[in-house]
Amino acid sequence: MPDLKPCPKCKGNPEPRRVGDMKQYWVFFCDACGYTPVKNNEARYTVWGAKRAWNRRAGEEDKHD
């Protein structure tokens, strides 16, 4: 499983949260500022998939700052 990158906004730690109408998806949010670089349509059914989405987006945010 990939290691998680820090939050691109505040360098806080990402934490998983269940989202969706029936809480069937996973998304990572920063535990310090609440930011998530993951868009709504990128929520995943597994924590592993959510980690990949976080890392991909967090890496893109770093390049633009």
Side-chain angles (χ1 to χ4, degrees), residues 20-38:
D21 293 339
M22 299 182 337
K23 305 293 185 212
Q24 72 273 33
Y25 301 112
W26 289 95
V27 173
F28 277 83
F29 289 83
C30 176
D31 66 352
C33 69
Y35 174 75
T36 183
V38 179

Side-chain angles (χ1 to χ4, degrees), residues 1-59:
M1 204 171 290
D3 290 331
L4 290 166
K5 295 178 182 178
C7 175
K9 300 295 179 189
C10 74
K11 304 304 179 200
N13 296 316
E15 295 290 329
R17 290 189 199 163
R18 284 178 123 4
V19 297
D21 293 339
M22 299 182 337
K23 305 293 185 212
Q24 72 273 33
Y25 301 112
W26 289 95
V27 173
F28 277 83
F29 289 83
C30 176
D31 66 352
C33 69
Y35 174 75
T36 183
V38 179
K39 297 177 181 173
N40 287 341
N41 63 345
E42 293 180 326
R44 301 293 183 219
Y45 282 111
T46 65
V47 174
W48 187 83
K51 283 184 178 186
R52 289 185 61 212
W54 169 274
N55 281 341
R56 183 179 64 252
R57 287 290 185 178

